[in-house]
Amino acid sequence: MIDIDQYAYNNNFSSFHPLEKSFFALFTILITLTANSFMTSIIVIAVISLMLITAAGIPFKFYLKLLFIPLSFLIIASITAVVSFSRELNNYFFYFELGGWFFGLESKSLNTAVLLFLKSFASICCLYFLTLTTPVLEIISVLRKFKLPEIVIELMMLIYRFIFVLLDTADLIRTSQLSRLGYSSIKKSFFSIAKLISNLFIRAYYRAQGLLTALVARGYDGKIRVLERKYSFSYKNIMIIILFETFLIIISIFGGGNFV
Amino acid sequence: MSKKVLEAENVVFNYPDGTNALDGLSLSIEKGKKIAILGANGAGKSTLFLHFNGILKPKKGNIKFRGKKVSYKKKELKNLRKNIGIVFQDPDMQLFSSSVFQEISFGPLNLGLSETKTRERVDEAMQIMEITNIKDKPTHLLSYGQKKRISIADILAMKPEVIIFDEPTVWLDPKHSKEILGFINQINKKGTTVILSTHDVDLAYQWADYIYIFSDGKIIGEGNSEKIFRDNKLLKESDLIKPWIIEVYEKLIQNGKISSTVSVPKSKSELFELI
Ligand SMILES: Nc1ncnc2c1ncn2[C@@H]1O[C@H](COP(=O)(O)OP(=O)(O)O)[C@@H](O)[C@H]1O
Ligand SMILES: [Mg+2]
């Protein structure tokens, strides 16, 4: 979580307009999901991964680690989707028999499963593209442009800021507990954790009060007005995005086909 | 007599839990000056500051801004908050946005300034505080000193007449304290009245034009720094120690190294010249 946040600020795409990045990610997901094409998904996975690693400068190892979490779920889900069993011998292209039942792989369901797997994989890559290159605040500012209610935007902004403030506080409390052997046995650990959480609540409450005072001191009247940093659109980027999406659509139309 | 910007007249204030934070306190702040408020923790410094900005209202007594009693009407409060800025002690308490730009733009926008004007103000404030280079970093990846600078830029962007710094150097190392003090002096030179609270006697002695000493919600001494810090009785009463420069100076007189007619050195370099 925190690592993703750090990369979001320190990558070679961070100066690009957040709208460009959001559109790129969303359109690509949309095309991948609607197209019934292996090619499309494979191209998306390859292009986005290459972009993130070579152009944006996300370390390969870190990216693999990130992918590993959803991929492991995906693989398990796909396997269960692809294996079928029945009393008769169906169109299995691979099977084995066990107590009068045939367990096997049907080419049709294998097709579906692989397509599903690739589509999900490609969508995950797109989402990682957005979260790894675009800071949360800018995603929020895109949402603001799309006229999400102010209250939701303000809450997101404050929550994002205070995650880190409270994390620091929790860290401090934990360190002081550790230095007094607060976690030296299971029983003590439970006690210390309980204390940490209740302490955190109290401090969060005082923080909220203090924050309100500081806001009022600067003329707060119930509405948080702020300006966004200005980004400029890059015609080059927009052209690249349009070309890539068109290319994807064409591939999806003509390059569709079956696996196996 | 020069102009008074802010005054407190016999201000009494208790917190809801009964703590008697201010106990009939009076003082006045002259325009353009550097005022230090010295006092131990819990003496009532922060409480007074919140009165100056209209966040707290005295139970008894008055706050005056430009010679006029504050009436706590909405419009007047707005004007007061526009002109009296507070840089809070803990920047983590003050900064509400993870974006430096958003953060600093909040004050000017509340003043009703246009977007263009606000951008100008934000850029100018970032330039003065030398934080333009970190404007794209999120707050949580910045150091304490950097956050402190942002919290000052927050207020600078509103261009108030008076800026109050609540213990600005308290958690900073000597190098960063010096930097922040440099900024504060720079702000004062451009005509802004500056009030600063501290419990660092050396800082107050060398920096301030005028000093108030707080204890238990009252003022127990005031004057220019020489007067305050050569008053042994007052220092004893307020549990303050003597600034080391004065201590050395008095020792030099005692030992006959310099005559007692020599004026008190104000800084380290002035003291070294005497020796
Ligand atoms: N929000 C509060 N509620 C109750 N008591 C408070 C509150 N803030 C400060 N106090 C009390 O008021 C007194 C003055 O505090 P403060 O103005 O913060 O002093 P200083 O800034 O000089 O350290 C202290 O006794 C403190 O405990
Ligand atoms: Mg205080």
Side-chain angles (χ1 to χ4, degrees):
Chain A
M1 235 306 272
I2 309 291
D3 289 336
I4 295 182
D5 187 70
Q6 302 238 10
Y7 284 114
Y9 289 97
N10 297 309
N11 67 80
N12 304 333
F13 291 172
S14 54
S15 64
F16 293 170
H17 201 298
L19 265 179
E20 287 171 2
K21 289 181 281 193
S22 312
F23 271 117
F24 174 67
L26 290 182
F27 266 120
T28 314
I29 290 183
L30 215 68
I31 294 172
T32 331
L33 289 182
T34 45
N36 267 325
S37 155
F38 296 101
M39 250 341 235
T40 311
S41 301
I42 291 172
I43 289 174
V44 168
I45 295 168
V47 169
I48 292 209
S49 303
L50 272 178
M51 266 168 85
L52 279 176
I53 293 157
T54 56
I58 307 295
F60 181 59
K61 263 199 176 149
F62 177 70
Y63 183 58
L64 270 191
K65 245 205 282 187
L66 275 187
L67 280 180
F68 182 75
I69 311 158
L71 271 187
S72 49
F73 282 106
L74 255 185
I75 290 171
I76 293 168
S78 307
I79 288 176
T80 53
V82 84
V83 179
S84 61
F85 54 93
S86 67
R87 284 215 171 266
E88 289 111 57
L89 205 52
N90 285 340
N91 282 330
Y92 294 145
F93 73 91
F94 172 85
Y95 69 92
F96 60 93
E97 201 194 326
L98 200 79
W101 287 81
F102 294 98
F103 290 84
L105 303 175
E106 243 179 305
S107 55
K108 202 172 124 248
S109 63
L110 181 65
N111 258 321
T112 325
V114 172
L115 190 59
L116 204 67
F117 172 81
L118 286 176
K119 276 186 181 184
S120 322
F121 189 1
S123 311
I124 291 168
C125 289
C126 291
L127 286 179
Y128 273 147
F129 175 84
L130 190 63
T131 46
L132 281 170
T133 60
T134 320
V136 171
L137 273 172
E138 272 146 33
I139 296 180
I140 297 176
S141 81
V142 168
L143 294 176
R144 177 177 285 157
K145 286 208 178 70
F146 285 115
K147 298 280 173 252
L148 214 68
E150 278 302 321
I151 178 78
V152 179
I153 305 274
E154 283 177 12
L155 276 176
M156 285 170 89
M157 187 169 87
L158 292 176
I159 289 170
Y160 178 61
R161 164 92 181 101
F162 281 89
I163 285 175
F164 295 98
V165 173
L166 285 179
L167 224 72
D168 278 351
T169 313
D171 232 36
L172 276 179
I173 300 175
R174 205 179 121 82
T175 311
S176 95
Q177 287 176 335
L178 276 173
S179 69
R180 286 174 289 156
L181 299 179
Y183 293 89
S184 54
S185 70
I186 292 192
K187 201 174 149 199
K188 277 185 196 154
S189 297
F190 273 114
F191 182 77
S192 294
I193 284 275
K195 268 266 175 275
L196 188 149
I197 293 172
S198 60
N199 231 310
L200 213 52
F201 265 112
I202 295 168
R203 298 216 194 169
Y205 175 74
Y206 278 110
R207 288 238 170 244
Q209 272 201 331
L211 178 75
L212 184 65
T213 306
L215 286 178
V216 171
R218 283 198 278 160
Y220 174 67
D221 55 10
K223 193 166 178 299
I224 299 183
R225 299 180 204 84
V226 288
L227 281 188
E228 308 285 352
R229 210 191 116 193
K230 258 195 184 142
Y231 285 89
S232 42
F233 284 108
S234 132
Y235 288 109
K236 191 178 134 226
N237 286 347
I238 293 176
M239 280 321 288
I240 291 175
I241 294 170
I242 292 175
L243 280 178
F244 179 72
E245 304 299 337
T246 319
F247 169 72
L248 267 192
I249 292 173
I250 293 172
I251 289 283
S252 309
I253 294 170
F254 297 103
N258 290 339
F259 207 58
V260 181
Chain B
M1 212 42 208
S2 47
K3 246 168 90 185
K4 295 190 168 92
V5 209
L6 269 177
E7 288 156 273
E9 285 178 342
N10 300 312
V11 172
V12 174
F13 182 82
N14 334 309
Y15 279 103
D17 67 350
T19 314
N20 206 358
L22 297 179
D23 192 11
L25 183 144
S26 302
L27 56 69
S28 66
I29 308 290
E30 268 178 46
K31 198 173 161 55
K33 287 275 158 56
K34 296 192 278 190
I35 314 290
I37 294 184
L38 262 173
N41 287 330
K45 304 180 293 289
S46 303
T47 306
L48 177 72
F49 295 160
L50 293 178
H51 278 85
F52 278 158
N53 177 284
I55 288 173
L56 297 178
K57 200 175 158 180
K59 291 269 141 62
K60 278 191 207 138
N62 302 301
I63 301 291
K64 281 181 169 176
F65 173 55
R66 290 179 185 154
K68 206 172 138 249
K69 267 189 215 168
V70 176
S71 74
Y72 299 92
K73 288 199 188 93
K74 211 172 164 187
K75 215 171 133 199
E76 215 181 295
L77 276 182
K78 208 168 168 180
N79 185 43
L80 189 66
R81 285 173 192 159
K82 171 176 180 244
N83 284 296
I84 315 291
I86 305 179
V87 176
F88 285 84
Q89 182 171 349
D90 179 2
D92 266 330
M93 203 73 118
Q94 185 183 325
L95 306 183
F96 68 92
S97 172
S98 309
S99 144
V100 177
F101 197 91
Q102 280 189 356
E103 176 65 45
I104 305 174
S105 70
F106 177 72
L109 284 177
N110 282 337
L111 300 182
L113 295 182
S114 70
E115 191 179 323
T116 343
K117 198 90 194 133
T118 302
R119 279 188 199 281
E120 271 172 36
R121 290 272 185 105
V122 175
D123 286 337
E124 192 188 343
M126 288 197 299
Q127 228 156 41
I128 295 174
M129 293 314 296
E130 294 169 19
I131 48 174
T132 312
N133 57 326
I134 53 166
K135 70 168 190 283
D136 297 329
K137 289 233 171 97
T139 316
H140 54 264
L141 295 183
L142 300 176
S143 70
Y144 182 81
Q146 288 170 321
K147 286 189 232 179
K148 192 82 209 176
R149 288 186 190 201
I150 299 172
S151 69
I152 297 176
D154 266 357
I155 305 304
L156 275 184
M158 298 175 76
K159 301 207 170 173
E161 189 176 338
V162 181
I163 301 187
I164 299 170
F165 294 86
D166 199 351
E167 309 204 16
T169 59
V170 73
W171 291 316
L172 289 170
D173 56 58
K175 174 174 165 262
H176 288 100
S177 296
K178 215 171 149 194
E179 257 171 37
I180 293 292
L181 270 181
F183 285 121
I184 295 178
N185 285 335
Q186 193 187 331
I187 292 165
N188 174 255
K189 279 220 179 75
K190 285 187 190 147
T192 310
T193 311
V194 172
I195 306 174
L196 169 157
S197 71
T198 182
H199 36 241
D200 180 342
V201 284
D202 293 307
L203 166 73
Y205 174 68
Q206 295 186 46
W207 178 81
D209 297 326
Y210 202 81
I211 298 176
Y212 286 97
I213 296 184
F214 274 34
S215 174
D216 292 329
K218 282 194 282 279
I219 289 174
I220 57 168
E222 64 176 283
N224 62 29
S225 36
E226 191 186 327
K227 176 184 165 232
I228 293 265
F229 289 115
R230 299 202 65 193
D231 184 342
N232 288 328
K233 191 166 151 271
L234 174 64
L235 289 182
K236 199 164 170 130
E237 201 181 324
S238 57
D239 283 327
L240 291 172
I241 53 164
K242 214 168 244 191
W244 68 268
I245 292 178
I246 294 203
E247 217 153 345
V248 175
Y249 165 80
E250 285 177 348
K251 202 86 193 163
L252 286 174
I253 293 177
Q254 217 179 1
N255 295 350
K257 296 270 197 298
I258 55 176
S259 94
S260 56
T261 53
V262 174
S263 65
V264 192
K266 192 83 201 224
S267 64
K268 196 160 77 179
S269 50
E270 277 181 37
L271 176 69
F272 285 166
E273 260 169 47
L274 284 185
I275 306 173

